[in-house]
């Protein structure tokens, strides 16, 4: 028994030393938004707050370049990334300019990771072989699902207020090209197809802007009866609320959005779905693991079911726990699979300050099960060896 324990301690010490990895690399992030709040809300500045907290814990140098919602400036910034000498570049395929970003970065032969808005197969098919080879992964939320869930929730909330069988719905789309905008609208469209009692009266693009949504809804409520407003982000939902409040309508209107924008605390809507603001941190964790050869190529493509409804009464805790100072209390290094106490990257962690045990298969990846099993044996076998010894599942 003593021999076995001595052997066990030796294995543990070897594995512990082998799994202490360092970051020490640089990432350039082309942020489509502003460094502070603007008419499109606080989303992109909050994305950067999460990313910087993760970068600090993972010893990654993060350089953020802000495009201020200007797709022309975004393309110009792509031509400057090499001047920062990064190891990796993170881009967002906002308003369909992702291809141009990759094209601008390609001459520098820098690995590219896409965040929140990925590429469609049609877009990838139009890439040159070099451009394709530079894309090493993505971290995107399940936007189709959240579009459908938001529609279902605003109908449920409205039914509790108004006891009647059919409703009219106004959809405010983000834009025509971003995958987040189109996937969310496709989720809504699927819901409408499955629920004949909800009639879509219009679906204008609000360009993610509170002011633009306000002006459009202000005109639309004069021409249509609107019972429900489905908005692709919270600022547009708030713009709709402002127009509806000013219109002094005689009937109830239920409004829902996506983002968990901080402005909701002052100007409440009926429901918001959020959590995806944290995925920039997830991207850096994945790049850290990739750089340490702890993730396979196919595992670098993650679609995460991260959205939660504000009806779960989670917003106040989430905002309080992730403001500019409080967020430093979280140990983002623990989300790495290389960490001895690796934990699940889960939105509830930021709501409750509790960590969930790590599960390798918690997210949808591009891997087949055979590929994952094979890779786990080759790359994660040492850590798995220790866990199986501790569980008594390995023969002495």
């Amino acid at each position: 028994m003593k021999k076995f324990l001595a052997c066990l301690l030796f294995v543990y010490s070897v594995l512990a030393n082998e799994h202490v990895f360092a970051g020490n690399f640089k990432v350039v992030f082309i942020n489509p938004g502003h460094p502070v709040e603007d008419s499109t809300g606080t989303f992109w500045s909050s994305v950067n707050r999460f990313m910087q907290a993760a970068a600090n814990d993972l010893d990654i140098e993060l350089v953020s370049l802000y495009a201020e919602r200007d797709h022309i400036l975004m393309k110009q910034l792509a031509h400057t990334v090499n001047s920062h000498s990064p190891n990796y570049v993170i881009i967002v395929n906002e308003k369909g300019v992702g291809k141009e970003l990759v094209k601008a970065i390609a001459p520098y032969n820098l690995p590219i990771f896409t965040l929140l808005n990925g590429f469609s197969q049609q877009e990838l098919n139009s890439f040159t072989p070099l451009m394709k080879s530079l894309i090493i992964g993505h971290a995107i939320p399940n936007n189709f699902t959240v579009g459908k869930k938001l529609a279902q929730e605003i109908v449920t909330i409205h039914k509790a207020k108004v006891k009647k069988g059919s409703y009219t719905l106004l959809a405010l789309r983000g834009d025509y090209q971003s995958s987040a905008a189109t996937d969310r609208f496709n989720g809504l469209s699927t819901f409408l197809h499955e629920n004949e009692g909800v009639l879509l009266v219009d679906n204008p693009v609000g360009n993610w802007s509170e002011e633009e949504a306000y002006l459009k809804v202000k005109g639309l409520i004069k021409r249509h009866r609107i019972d429900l407003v489905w908005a692709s982000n919270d600022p547009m939902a708030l713009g709709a609320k402002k127009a509806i409040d000013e219109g002094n309508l005689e009937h109830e209107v239920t409004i829902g959005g996506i983002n968990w924008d901080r402005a909701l605390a002052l100007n409440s809507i009926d429901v918001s779905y959020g959590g995806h603001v944290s995925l920039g941190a997830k991207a850096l964790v994945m790049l850290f693991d990739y750089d340490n050869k702890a993730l396979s190529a196919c595992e670098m493509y993650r679609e995460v079911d991260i959205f939660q409804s504000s009806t779960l009464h989670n917003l106040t805790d989430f905002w309080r726990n992730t403001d500019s100072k409080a967020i430093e209390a979280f140990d983002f290094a623990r989300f790495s699979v290389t960490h001895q106490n690796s934990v699940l990257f889960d939105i509830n962690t930021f709501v409750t300050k509790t960590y969930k045990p790590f599960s390798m298969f918690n997210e949808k990846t591009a891997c087949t099960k055979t590929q994952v099993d094979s890779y786990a044996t080759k790359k994660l076998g040492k850590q798995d060896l220790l866990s199986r010894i501790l569980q008594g599942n390995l023969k002495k």
Side-chain angles (χ1 to χ4, degrees), residues 161-197:
K161 294 192 246 181
V162 181
K163 306 296 183 183
K164 71 169 192 172
S166 60
Y167 312 101
T168 54
L169 181 145
L170 169 66
L172 295 170
R173 304 171 68 175
D175 58 56
Y176 289 117
Q177 293 177 297
S178 299
S179 62
T182 55
D183 288 350
R184 289 173 193 177
F185 185 71
N186 288 340
L188 167 65
S189 299
T190 300
F191 172 82
L192 293 173
H193 178 72
E194 296 171 353
N195 294 269
E196 296 179 357

Side-chain angles (χ1 to χ4, degrees), residues 7-271:
C7 181
L8 180 59
L9 288 172
F10 173 77
V11 171
Y12 180 87
S13 65
V14 169
L15 293 176
N17 289 330
E18 287 194 5
H19 284 80
V20 176
F21 292 122
N24 297 315
F25 59 82
K26 184 187 287 189
V27 175
V28 168
F29 172 42
I30 302 178
N31 187 321
H34 295 253
V36 293
E37 182 177 3
D38 73 315
S39 64
T40 62
T42 59
F43 181 77
W44 287 109
S45 59
S46 297
V47 168
N48 245 90
R49 185 173 67 255
F50 270 89
M51 292 179 74
Q52 191 58 61
N56 293 343
D57 288 344
L58 296 166
D59 194 21
I60 296 172
E61 183 180 350
L62 177 66
V63 177
S64 297
L65 309 176
Y66 294 90
E68 300 180 352
R69 289 291 191 184
D70 183 339
H71 66 280
I72 296 175
L73 176 57
M74 202 185 310
K75 287 186 277 188
Q76 292 172 347
L77 291 173
H79 287 282
T80 72
V81 295
N82 195 51
S83 65
H84 298 280
S85 302
N87 300 89
Y88 303 97
V89 180
I90 296 178
I91 66 170
V92 181
N93 187 17
E94 184 87 345
K95 295 188 177 179
V97 301
K99 179 181 177 180
E100 295 302 314
L101 302 185
V102 176
K103 187 176 180 181
I105 297 167
Y108 309 122
N109 204 37
L110 295 169
I112 299 169
F113 188 95
T114 54
L115 175 64
L116 292 167
N117 283 294
F119 292 106
S120 67
Q121 192 57 53
Q122 184 178 4
E123 287 175 310
L124 291 172
N125 290 341
S126 69
F127 283 16
T128 65
L130 172 61
M131 291 166 65
K132 285 182 183 178
S133 70
L134 294 176
I135 307 296
I136 62 167
H138 67 220
I140 57 176
N142 193 326
N143 285 301
F144 175 87
T145 298
V146 76
K148 189 175 181 181
K149 283 183 175 180
L150 177 61
Q152 178 64 68
E153 187 126 29
I154 58 176
V155 169
T156 300
I157 292 170
H158 197 73
K159 280 183 176 178
K161 294 192 246 181
V162 181
K163 306 296 183 183
K164 71 169 192 172
S166 60
Y167 312 101
T168 54
L169 181 145
L170 169 66
L172 295 170
R173 304 171 68 175
D175 58 56
Y176 289 117
Q177 293 177 297
S178 299
S179 62
T182 55
D183 288 350
R184 289 173 193 177
F185 185 71
N186 288 340
L188 167 65
S189 299
T190 300
F191 172 82
L192 293 173
H193 178 72
E194 296 171 353
N195 294 269
E196 296 179 357
V198 183
L199 174 66
L200 180 67
V201 295
D202 207 341
N203 59 102
V205 161
N207 286 307
W208 310 104
S209 166
E210 179 176 348
E211 181 64 20
E212 192 165 334
Y214 164 72
L215 293 172
K216 289 190 174 182
V217 175
K218 190 174 182 180
L220 285 166
I221 59 175
K222 295 175 182 177
R223 303 196 297 272
H224 303 284
R225 176 190 170 93
I226 296 170
D227 298 310
L228 312 168
V229 176
W230 176 102
S232 201
N233 78 341
D234 288 339
M236 291 192 297
L238 292 170
K241 177 177 171 56
K242 181 182 177 183
I244 288 166
D245 287 347
E246 290 179 3
N248 294 314
L249 303 183
E250 295 181 355
H251 63 276
E252 287 277 356
V253 181
T254 300
I255 305 171
I258 298 168
N259 266 24
W260 282 2
D261 200 285
R262 285 179 178 267
L264 295 178
L266 300 174
N267 234 335
S268 181
I269 57 178
D270 293 281
V271 61

